[in-house]
Amino acid sequence: MSRLRKEIARPKETITPIKQGKLDMKDVFVILGSTAVGYFSKSFVPEILEIGYIVSYPIVLYLLLSPSEVAGKKNFQVLLQLLRKDRQIYHTIRKN
């Protein structure tokens, strides 16, 4: 017995390409500038952790400014949307 598989065609408008690995020039400058922020604020951490502290600034900003899987949004925008998410449960409106 052969199984028949039904395929449903999706309109081309719903298929959006995901852009991965593309940063704006502004983002590159922010990431490079974050190294200076880490360097000037290294006095807040113990001396043994200074190098990791300085290096972590550009790494974290690269991860936050990279494009996400959500079309047209960067990772930090998706993270902010997740943190601001309303956790209430919506009930149906009853007729009076």
Side-chain angles (χ1 to χ4, degrees), residues 40-51:
F40 290 122
S41 65
K42 70 180 182 181
S43 62
F44 296 118
V45 296
E47 190 173 325
I48 195 168
L49 300 175
E50 283 181 356
I51 303 249

Side-chain angles (χ1 to χ4, degrees), residues 86-91:
D86 189 10
R87 304 204 186 280
Q88 295 178 353
I89 299 173
Y90 296 98
H91 300 284

Side-chain angles (χ1 to χ4, degrees), residues 24-83:
D24 298 336
M25 203 61 176
K26 177 179 63 171
D27 296 337
V28 172
F29 287 130
V30 168
I31 291 170
L32 293 176
S34 69
T35 306
V37 173
Y39 181 77
F40 290 122
S41 65
K42 70 180 182 181
S43 62
F44 296 118
V45 296
E47 190 173 325
I48 195 168
L49 300 175
E50 283 181 356
I51 303 249
Y53 179 75
I54 295 170
V55 171
S56 68
Y57 265 85
I59 292 172
V60 169
L61 274 177
Y62 172 76
L63 293 173
L64 287 174
L65 293 175
S66 295
S68 70
E69 293 180 5
V70 178
K73 292 198 177 197
K74 297 191 180 212
N75 284 330
F76 79 92
Q77 293 170 321
V78 175
L79 181 66
L80 286 175
Q81 189 175 9
L82 178 71
L83 293 175

